[in-house]
Amino acid sequence: MSTSTTAKMIRSFLFFTDTPVMVREPYRGHRSRASSSHSDRMRRSIRWSTMTSSEIHSTAVTESMEACVALFLALLLGHLLGDFVFQPGRLVVAKRHGWKGMLLHTGIVVLMTAIALMSDIERLLPALVLAGLAHLGIEYLTIRARRMMEANGLALFLLDQALHIVSLAIIAALMGNGVHPALGPWPVDTATLAFVCGLLAVMFLGSILAFEVRVLALGAADPGSTGPILRLDADRMLGFAERGAAFVIGLLSPMPALGILAFAPRATYALTLRARDRARQMSDAAVGLIICAVVWLLVVFASSSRL
């Protein structure tokens, strides 16, 4: 390459002119230990295409944001698994009583997050540590708030989850460079990872949200010394199934509104009950429908948009 050509390339990059320059084609595959071999690096290094400097800048920004989204979704997956799927009611009570329960819960969240980041765990170890520390700090603050404030359970739950999600978003924004979407050790696309997170959210987070709304509106049958605790019973299992079905139908059906049909059995059953029990069932159905709609919108956006 001549000196004049090199000078034109440098000027084009620095001043964002439209002079075509030679750049490497962005590698969009999942990085693994095998792909870091010399032969793979050589194969990727010869993928060249002609792009203008403005296209280079736009592509770099897009890929950086997509990497941040990939890390955020992986961290969110670990959070959903540790904070909902693998947090039984007894552990909720234990963490509200002292540090042992809180540390055990945080350890489970860290373990689930480590599994979610398994594909690149060595490089993402700082993100894992930060996520664990942030989770522990937020748990401490919200549990103290529960003891000291007279806020209702719904407000504390929403505050707790908002703080967790914001903390994960900050970590992803700071440390997401070069991250590719993966489901544990398996490379996937962003849409698949978003779908898994969405399904867990509507099924498990949705059950807690429906419970807190019901307690706020209708009261709790057994408040207990640490606040009402949601038990894993047949009614909760039904909620898992109907919200999960509504979410999947909404994503796979050409008419997303058909997801409403998943709540038809509960609504029909509610009509046969007394007023208070009917209100309880209809409240759960309404909250389930709302959270399915909101999460559906977020997943569709994450799956179809190039950020």
Side-chain angles (χ1 to χ4, degrees):
M1 183 180 294
S2 66
T3 304
S4 61
T5 302
T6 303
K8 289 180 181 179
M9 291 171 61
I10 295 173
R11 286 197 301 271
S12 173
F13 181 79
L14 292 178
F15 299 105
F16 296 98
T17 65
D18 289 331
T19 304
V21 296
M22 301 297 292
V23 299
R24 294 181 182 182
E25 180 180 303
Y27 174 62
R28 300 188 181 279
H30 177 71
R31 292 182 180 177
S32 63
R33 292 182 181 272
S35 67
S36 63
S37 65
H38 177 71
S39 59
D40 286 341
R41 290 198 301 270
M42 289 297 294
R43 281 195 295 269
R44 291 199 300 271
S45 67
I46 62 175
R47 297 178 182 177
W48 297 87
S49 63
T50 302
M51 299 175 65
T52 65
S53 57
S54 59
E55 290 172 335
I56 297 171
H57 180 70
S58 176
T59 300
V61 171
T62 299
E63 290 185 346
S64 176
M65 295 188 69
E66 289 176 345
C68 291
V69 170
L71 178 56
F72 171 74
L73 290 174
L75 294 173
L76 180 62
L77 176 59
H79 169 72
L80 291 170
L81 289 171
D83 215 28
F84 296 100
V85 180
F86 296 105
Q87 184 178 200
R90 287 180 297 177
L91 184 53
V92 174
V93 174
K95 74 177 186 180
R96 292 178 184 176
H97 277 299
W99 279 100
K100 289 184 179 180
M102 200 182 305
L103 290 173
L104 175 59
H105 166 64
T106 302
I108 293 173
V109 172
V110 171
L111 176 61
M112 294 299 104
T113 305
I115 293 173
L117 299 176
M118 187 182 297
S119 63
D120 203 5
I121 188 64
E122 293 181 0
R123 189 167 67 87
L124 295 176
L125 186 59
L128 174 63
V129 173
L130 284 178
L133 292 175
H135 192 95
L136 180 61
I138 292 168
E139 289 295 322
Y140 174 76
L141 291 175
T142 54
I143 289 174
R144 279 186 61 86
R146 182 179 292 274
R147 293 172 181 169
M148 299 173 61
M149 299 170 58
E150 295 184 357
N152 59 69
L154 177 61
L156 290 171
F157 173 74
L158 293 176
L159 173 64
D160 176 71
Q161 292 306 308
L163 291 174
H164 283 308
I165 291 173
V166 169
S167 70
L168 298 182
I170 292 173
I171 294 170
L174 294 176
M175 312 187 73
N177 186 39
V179 177
H180 299 277
L183 196 58
W186 301 286
V188 296
D189 55 22
T190 302
T192 301
L193 189 55
F195 168 77
V196 173
C197 289
L199 186 61
L200 290 177
V202 298
M203 290 178 65
F204 293 91
L205 185 151
S207 68
I208 306 297
L209 182 61
F211 173 71
E212 294 293 357
V213 170
R214 186 200 320 146
V215 169
L216 179 63
L218 303 174
D222 181 20
S225 60
T226 58
I229 301 297
L230 179 59
R231 294 180 173 85
L232 183 61
D233 53 17
D235 191 57
R236 189 178 180 189
M237 297 295 289
L238 172 63
F240 290 160
E242 68 182 3
R243 288 187 300 273
F247 180 69
V248 172
I249 292 171
L251 283 178
L252 300 183
S253 171
M255 296 180 61
L258 291 177
I260 298 175
L261 296 177
F263 298 97
R266 183 188 290 271
T268 303
Y269 171 66
L271 296 176
T272 67
L273 302 175
R274 294 177 299 178
R276 181 176 177 82
D277 292 333
R278 181 167 62 250
R280 178 180 178 276
Q281 295 292 333
M282 296 304 290
S283 171
D284 286 358
V287 173
L289 178 59
I290 291 171
I291 192 171
C292 284
V294 171
V295 174
W296 178 86
L297 287 172
L298 294 174
V299 170
V300 169
F301 173 77
S303 303
S304 62
S305 300
R306 283 183 61 85
L307 300 174

